[in-house]
Amino acid sequence: PMLPPSRDSMLSVSVPGGGGGGGGAGAGGLPPPPGGMAAMNRRQSTFLHDSHRRLVEEKGLTRKASVATLAGFEEDLNDIDFFDDNGTTKLKSATLDGLVQWLTSNKNSDSSYMQVFLTTYRSFCSPSDLLDRLIARYGVLNGGPSFRKAVQLKVCNALRKFLEGHWDDFTQEMKDRLEIFVYMLMQDGEVSYSRSIRHVLDKQKNKTGKQGPTFNTPPPNPLLPPKPAKGRSGPLTLLDLPPEEVARQMTLVDGENFRAVGPAELLNYNKKGGNTPENAPNIARIVDRFNAVSLWVATQILEHPKLKDRIKVLSHILEVAKYLEQLNNFSGLMAVISGLNNASISRLKFTKEGLDKSAKKIFDSVGSLMEFDSSYKAYRARLHNINPPCVPYIGVYLADLTFIDDGNPDFADEAKTKINFLKRQTAYKVILEARQYQQDFFNFVNVLPVLQVLQDFQHRSEKELYDMSLAAEPRGASKSQLK
C-alpha cells in the first residue's frame, strides 16, 4: 500500500509535458525529475503497481476496492492493545498495521513511541515494508478534514524521522519510491508536506561522508617513543612505547568501531544468522579486534623466554590497562584482561609473583572492575557514573539483549499476528544506553610509530601460546630452574 488514496488526482497524476520526453518545471516551480517526463511516467506506473500489490494480494481485492479497505483498516483500534502508564496511554501489542497506525495517530500522546518504534522496527519489519505502510497511511479517508490533516502531518513527520535516523536502511529503489511520493505531493498542492520531506531527502543525499568532530580544546601532546639508543637497530617494540599513548591509540580505534554499531545489529545479533559479518559487520569487527588484542597480550608476554623480561612486559601491559581504565575504554580494558586471563598466562606463577606492589594493585583493581560477578555489577556502576567519552564493553549489551529476547515472546497472541511491543520497549532501553555513548569522540591525534607497533595486533595461536607457556615455566619447576 504505497499511494495516498485521499484524492483522485493522486491516483492518476497529471504530469506537465507528460506525453513526451522533456518538459519544463512542474507545479510550484518544481523541476522535472531526472530522465524527463517519459521516465517519470514509467516510474509512476511501476510505483502504482507495486504500491498496492501487497494489500491487494493479501485481501484479494481489486485496486479500486483496496482504497476503501485501507481507509477502514487504518482507523481500527481493535488491532491494538493498550495499557495505562501513569496517565499516558501506551501500546502493549498490535499488528504491524496497528503499530504504524499508532505511530501516526492524533490520539497518541506517548512522546517516546516514535523513537522506540524506529529504533526497534528492524526486529519486526523490513525498511521497504515500513516505507510502503507509511505512504499508505497518508491516504487516510475517514474522519473530517482536520483529522485527516493531523494524520497526514504525522505521516510526514514520521517519514522525516525515518530518513534522518535510518538513511543507511534506504535502498536506491526505496529512495526512488519516496522521490515519486514527494513529487506527487507537490502536484496535489501539498507544497509544505512535499518540501519538508524533500529538505531532509536532499540533505541526506548531499552528505559527503562522516563529519569529523570539533573540539573546543586542542588535543594533548602525543607521547612519542624515545629515540633508539646508539647502535641499536630493528623495529620498535611494545616496551619502547609509552603506556599512556598505547592506551590512547587503542581507544581511538575502539571508539570509532563502537560508534559504527547500529540498533539493528544489536537487536538481531543473537538471532539465527544475525551474528554473521554480513548481517552485523561492525559488531564482527569489534569481536575480531577483541580476540586479536587478547591473544596479542599473551603473545607479547610469552615471546620473552627470560623470567625478568616477562615480568617487565607484564608490568608494562598493566600500565596500559591502567590508562585504558582512566580513558573509560572498557572495551579495550576487557580485551587486555581477557589476555591476562588466558590459560597460557594465568598459569605463569613466577611471572606474576615477580610484579611489584604497584603492578599487583593494578592487576587486582582492573580484574575486580570487569569481573562477571552479579552480572558485571561493579562495571555497570562505574559506567553509569563516568563522564563521556567512553567505549563500553559491548558484550554486556549483547548479553542483556539476549536475556530479553530469550525471556519474552516476539508475539503476544498464539496466531502470531500481534507484535509484542513491550519486548521492544525493554530492548530499546538497552540500545538507548549504548547509543548515548556513541555521541562523543576522543580528542587524540594518531601517532604513527605507535600504530605501526600495534598494527593488526599480530599474535600466536592458542596452542602455540600454551606450548610457549610450558616452555617458559614447566610444570613442577622451581624458580631457580627458570631462565
Side-chain angles (χ1 to χ4, degrees):
M2 289 284 296
L3 284 183
S6 58
R7 294 180 177 85
D8 291 339
S9 60
M10 298 199 76
L11 291 174
S12 56
V13 182
S14 174
V15 182
L30 186 72
M37 292 304 160
M40 178 68 189
N41 284 338
R42 287 193 298 271
R43 289 203 297 272
Q44 285 174 356
S45 176
T46 302
F47 176 82
L48 286 162
H49 174 68
D50 292 344
S51 65
H52 286 83
R53 182 176 57 191
R54 182 180 57 79
L55 266 192
V56 168
E57 290 176 351
E58 281 181 6
K59 301 183 180 295
L61 302 170
T62 65
R63 180 179 300 172
K64 183 177 180 180
S66 71
V67 173
T69 303
L70 275 173
F73 142 72
E74 290 193 5
E75 292 309 319
D76 184 4
L77 296 179
N78 291 326
D79 284 342
I80 306 176
D81 297 321
F82 298 101
F83 71 99
D84 181 81
D85 183 18
N86 295 321
T88 300
T89 299
K90 291 199 171 186
L91 188 149
K92 181 179 181 181
S93 64
T95 62
L96 177 53
D97 289 321
L99 293 178
V100 174
Q101 176 187 331
W102 193 239
L103 181 70
T104 54
S105 174
N106 65 342
K107 299 176 183 178
N108 184 358
S109 61
D110 181 1
S111 59
S112 66
Y113 179 78
M114 181 176 290
Q115 191 62 40
V116 176
F117 180 99
L118 290 176
T119 299
T120 63
Y121 86 92
R122 291 288 292 269
S123 69
F124 54 79
C125 177
S126 72
S128 180
D129 201 15
L130 176 56
L131 179 62
D132 284 357
R133 291 171 190 268
L134 282 173
I135 295 179
R137 174 66 169 152
Y138 182 89
V140 58
L141 284 174
N142 53 326
S146 61
F147 171 79
R148 292 198 301 270
K149 282 290 184 183
V151 170
Q152 289 168 348
L153 178 62
K154 287 213 166 192
V155 169
C156 291
N157 185 44
L159 284 170
R160 289 199 309 271
K161 294 293 185 182
F162 190 19
L163 279 167
E164 287 172 344
H166 303 271
W167 178 246
D168 290 341
D169 290 352
F170 279 72
T171 64
Q172 186 57 51
E173 188 264 344
M174 290 174 62
K175 295 172 189 175
D176 291 343
R177 292 197 334 249
L178 190 57
E179 290 267 9
I180 294 171
F181 176 65
V182 169
Y183 191 83
M184 293 171 71
L185 286 177
M186 182 68 81
Q187 291 292 336
D188 204 45
E190 300 292 359
V191 177
S192 60
Y193 291 167
S194 176
R195 286 179 175 170
S196 68
I197 300 172
R198 163 64 61 190
H199 174 73
V200 179
L201 189 57
D202 288 345
K203 182 179 177 181
Q204 295 289 47
K205 287 167 62 177
N206 293 329
K207 277 186 177 179
T208 56
K210 293 183 179 179
Q211 303 298 315
T214 56
F215 299 101
N216 296 324
T217 58
N221 292 326
L223 303 173
L224 300 175
K227 292 183 179 180
K230 189 174 182 179
R232 177 185 164 180
S233 60
L236 294 172
T237 68
L238 175 62
L239 291 175
D240 297 318
L241 308 180
E244 185 173 3
E245 194 60 57
V246 172
R248 289 175 182 173
Q249 298 306 302
M250 289 177 64
T251 299
L252 279 174
V253 178
D254 291 338
E256 181 178 357
N257 289 345
F258 181 72
R259 284 191 299 274
V261 177
E265 287 192 49
L266 289 168
L267 270 173
N268 297 322
Y269 184 76
N270 288 311
K271 292 184 179 294
K272 185 177 180 180
N275 61 353
T276 63
E278 293 77 21
N279 293 326
N282 298 299
I283 294 181
R285 188 177 300 113
I286 292 174
V287 171
D288 289 346
R289 180 176 170 85
F290 183 98
N291 293 334
V293 170
S294 175
L295 293 175
W296 172 80
V297 165
T299 300
Q300 289 294 314
I301 296 169
L302 289 169
E303 283 191 334
H304 295 273
K306 292 184 178 180
L307 177 61
K308 65 175 184 178
D309 292 335
R310 289 198 300 278
I311 294 171
K312 192 173 183 180
V313 173
L314 177 56
S315 298
H316 201 79
I317 288 173
L318 287 169
E319 283 292 310
V320 172
K322 178 185 75 175
Y323 287 112
L324 287 170
E325 180 187 356
Q326 291 179 5
L327 294 175
N328 299 325
N329 182 357
F330 301 109
S331 179
L333 177 61
M334 192 64 167
V336 170
I337 292 172
S338 177
L340 297 177
N341 289 333
N342 187 285
S344 62
I345 302 300
S346 62
R347 63 173 301 278
L348 297 179
K349 173 184 175 182
F350 299 113
T351 303
K352 290 187 288 185
E353 286 180 350
L355 295 171
D356 62 26
K357 289 183 179 180
S358 175
K360 288 179 178 178
K361 185 177 180 180
I362 296 171
F363 205 152
D364 293 339
S365 174
V366 296
S368 297
L369 174 63
M370 303 305 296
E371 191 175 20
F372 177 73
D373 183 53
S374 299
S375 187
Y376 296 100
K377 180 179 179 180
Y379 160 68
R380 291 179 192 269
R382 173 71 69 84
L383 181 65
H384 295 158
N385 287 282
I386 57 95
N387 292 317
C390 159
V391 187
Y393 171 46
I394 200 170
V396 172
Y397 293 133
L398 295 176
D400 289 347
L401 289 168
T402 299
F403 181 80
I404 293 168
D405 190 49
D406 291 345
N408 299 273
D410 281 330
F411 297 93
D413 60 338
E414 292 185 4
K416 296 186 176 181
T417 59
K418 288 191 174 182
I419 295 161
N420 181 1
F421 200 70
L422 281 180
K423 175 177 181 175
R424 275 70 186 185
Q425 290 174 326
T426 306
Y428 168 75
K429 294 175 183 178
V430 177
I431 296 172
L432 180 63
E433 178 181 310
R435 289 183 70 78
Q436 79 179 21
Y437 294 120
Q438 294 179 319
Q439 310 307 312
D440 298 282
F441 294 76
F442 291 89
N443 188 14
F444 304 133
V445 297
N446 290 322
V447 180
L448 189 58
V450 178
L451 290 173
Q452 287 174 334
V453 175
L454 302 180
Q455 185 73 31
D456 299 327
F457 292 101
Q458 298 295 322
H459 57 79
R460 303 291 187 95
S461 69
E462 291 273 8
K463 184 180 185 310
E464 288 175 317
L465 288 171
Y466 202 78
D467 290 342
M468 293 166 71
S469 176
L470 290 173
E473 293 191 18
R475 293 188 181 96
S478 62
K479 185 177 180 181
S480 60
Q481 294 176 303
L482 304 183
K483 292 183 181 180

